[in-house]
Amino acid sequence: MNNDVRKTNNPLIMTQEIVLMACIVVSAAFLVLGLLLKLPVQVKTFMFSACVLLLIYDIVFDSVMKLLNELYFDENLLIVVAAIGMILLGNAAQAAAAVLVFKTGTVINQRIALSASNAAESIFDIRPEIVNAVVNGAIVRTAAGKIQVGDVVSVSPGDYIPFDGIVTAGTSSIDISALTGERMTRRAAVDDIVLSGGLNLDAALNIRVTADFDESTVSRVTGLVNAAANRRSHQEKTFGSIARLFMPAAAAVAVIVGLAVPFVAGLPYSVWLARAFGVLFVSSLSATALSIPLTYFNAGAGAINKGLLFKGADVFDTLARTTSVVFGKTGILTNARYQVTDITAHGLSHERLLILASYAEYHSAHPMARAIVREAQILPDEMKIDDFREFPGKGTQVDIGKLTVSAGNLLFMTELGITPDISQSDASVVYIAVNGNYAGRILLSDDLRTDAKKAVRDLAAIGIDRIALFTGDKKQAAEDICTQLNIREFYAECQPEEKVSRLKGLHDMQLSGDKLVFVGDGTQDVPALMMADAGIILGGLGAKNAADAADLVVMTDKPSKVAEAIVLARQTSDIVRQNILITVGFKAVILILLLTGLIPVWAAVLIDVATTTAAVVNALRAFGSERFEKLRRLLQSKPGDEPHTREN
């Protein structure tokens, strides 16, 4: 949302609001007394004029300066001109009533928007300002910003964890629903990693800080949310341009109605000038201008409450028009917890092959590498490792004394001039070479996430045309996974750079306006995440480069959240369109009634204010749970339907 909607409770703003409310009350009293009491016309005119002055004093200077410095017809300037014009025409009572209704409606709508914004912000702004630092065994209350990496803090039961860190003392349950959007608890004991934003439930924990305040998980989430306000949607940009042109157009129409029509038709100027000033009163598009960012802001805040972090209003637009979703495999549709299933050695023992492989993979973060190290059940002696080299998407290589050990896929072996004993199994495989000679292979398997089938089924149920899979695994392994998930389009043995080129090909095949989403793991998929119309990562923020590349962060490891995000985006776009139709449609009706003389100016303003309020209240629906009920109905409407996919 815009910063003018989200305000802080500083004394100056509160004082201004008190003065404004006092002016509204006094003006309302002047208007009522002027209408009810039998007073001289001059006195009544003075009272009504004073009423107008009290209500517009705060906008006169600002509107005039915008006109002089920016040549911008601010909506408030039109209100000032209309009010003064009606007083000069002798319609001071109408001017006072119209301005009072306009100002009261503006205040009410801003308060609704501000309250909604504050409520939404409270969901993710759970960072404490004061924490309990442990200093020489004693607990000292100190500002969170003064804590440094390596310091120890104590977190009492019922308090949120302020920093990412490692537990050094205590055992407790941690509620991480503030991060994931789902009621989840995890047990934390000594040496366990905990993230900021978790709620300590049972007992006090001492935590050694591993990331400073600004780099903690909650701070990063808050930073991304604040940055999202700068990424405007296509509808916001388009409507903003229209709104800037609308004010001069409204002024031109008022001139035609007030001067040209009575001059050409020989009609009384007083009547048509009054109607012209009425046009100025209801020509503002502030209702839509306020409701559009408010809708996106509330939708984003509500999404955080469900574990979905949208990084801008433009992401809602993209996901709302998504027709293709491409998944990475490892860590997305599978658990990324590989298990060694078979070892084939050539010229050395199985144990020796596994130990050498564990040395080669020891410094790699790839899930297959971690599985091999785990299976070896030894801690490699880093003093023996002379050099470690990693080749993304291919494998690793390490020098151990006089030995050069290579571990990787078939492409890596081919580049090294090595011909392995190619596995015919559906399992994933890592080939091992020692000093340029083939030494054996290690087969690994990876289980599907329990949520994977639901993810594919849900996407098909909401009408996603293309569901595809990219993987570096060989074709047999990829085909086995896709058969289980009923995905008919897949691309196997993809290197990171290959994923980008294939993704571009799929992107170019789309119809105009259709959008393609890539769901990756955020480690080797950064280029693909950036290439897609929208990139999505699962499992939280992860590495900074991955969080920066992604447009949507799913704070859990459930791929079915992708379908929820698309449904949310569609509903948000629906609300924005509804508000545009509501405000523009009613405004057209109001103008017709006003120009034909069927309603007075103050009534036109009253209807316009009511329309504004309806649009603002409608924007608040984006924060609610209707979208998830809509998703449930969609997914249960045709339970027997099969996913609609395409052949490779």
Side-chain angles (χ1 to χ4, degrees), residues 189-262:
V190 174
D191 293 334
D192 286 343
I193 296 174
V194 292
L195 300 178
S196 59
L199 178 63
N200 187 16
L201 298 177
D202 301 333
L205 293 175
N206 284 1
I207 299 171
R208 186 173 70 253
V209 176
T210 57
D212 62 30
F213 190 65
D214 292 334
E215 291 298 320
S216 66
T217 299
V218 170
S219 293
R220 289 177 65 192
V221 169
T222 304
L224 290 174
V225 170
N226 290 333
N230 298 321
R231 292 178 56 171
R232 300 171 65 201
S233 70
H234 175 72
Q235 295 187 88
E236 279 184 279
K237 294 176 182 177
T238 301
F239 195 84
S241 300
I242 294 174
R244 289 186 69 89
L245 297 175
F246 192 81
M247 297 303 171
V253 170
V255 171
I256 293 173
V257 170
L259 299 178
V261 170

Side-chain angles (χ1 to χ4, degrees), residues 62-72:
D62 182 58
S63 300
V64 172
M65 293 307 296
K66 282 184 179 180
L67 179 63
L68 295 177
N69 297 331
E70 305 176 24
L71 298 179
Y72 175 56

Side-chain angles (χ1 to χ4, degrees), residues 191-339:
D191 293 334
D192 286 343
I193 296 174
V194 292
L195 300 178
S196 59
L199 178 63
N200 187 16
L201 298 177
D202 301 333
L205 293 175
N206 284 1
I207 299 171
R208 186 173 70 253
V209 176
T210 57
D212 62 30
F213 190 65
D214 292 334
E215 291 298 320
S216 66
T217 299
V218 170
S219 293
R220 289 177 65 192
V221 169
T222 304
L224 290 174
V225 170
N226 290 333
N230 298 321
R231 292 178 56 171
R232 300 171 65 201
S233 70
H234 175 72
Q235 295 187 88
E236 279 184 279
K237 294 176 182 177
T238 301
F239 195 84
S241 300
I242 294 174
R244 289 186 69 89
L245 297 175
F246 192 81
M247 297 303 171
V253 170
V255 171
I256 293 173
V257 170
L259 299 178
V261 170
F263 176 77
V264 173
L267 299 172
Y269 277 94
S270 59
V271 173
W272 287 92
L273 279 173
R275 294 177 184 180
F277 291 135
V279 170
L280 296 183
F281 266 115
V282 299
S283 62
S284 169
L285 291 177
S286 61
T288 312
L290 175 64
S291 68
I292 290 177
L294 181 62
T295 300
Y296 287 116
F297 182 76
N298 278 279
I304 290 174
N305 203 28
K306 294 294 179 181
L308 299 169
L309 175 56
F310 284 79
K311 292 175 60 179
D314 57 329
V315 184
F316 286 93
D317 278 2
T318 299
L319 289 186
R321 293 184 287 166
T322 295
T323 58
S324 300
V325 175
V326 180
F327 286 100
K329 181 184 78 71
T330 304
I332 307 301
L333 298 177
T334 64
N335 288 309
R337 288 195 60 82
Y338 283 91
Q339 301 291 329

Side-chain angles (χ1 to χ4, degrees), residues 433-451:
V434 179
N435 288 340
N437 298 311
Y438 179 59
R441 67 178 184 233
I442 299 175
L443 301 184
L444 305 98
S445 64
D446 188 14
D447 295 331
L448 285 176
R449 289 195 187 278
T450 55
D451 193 54

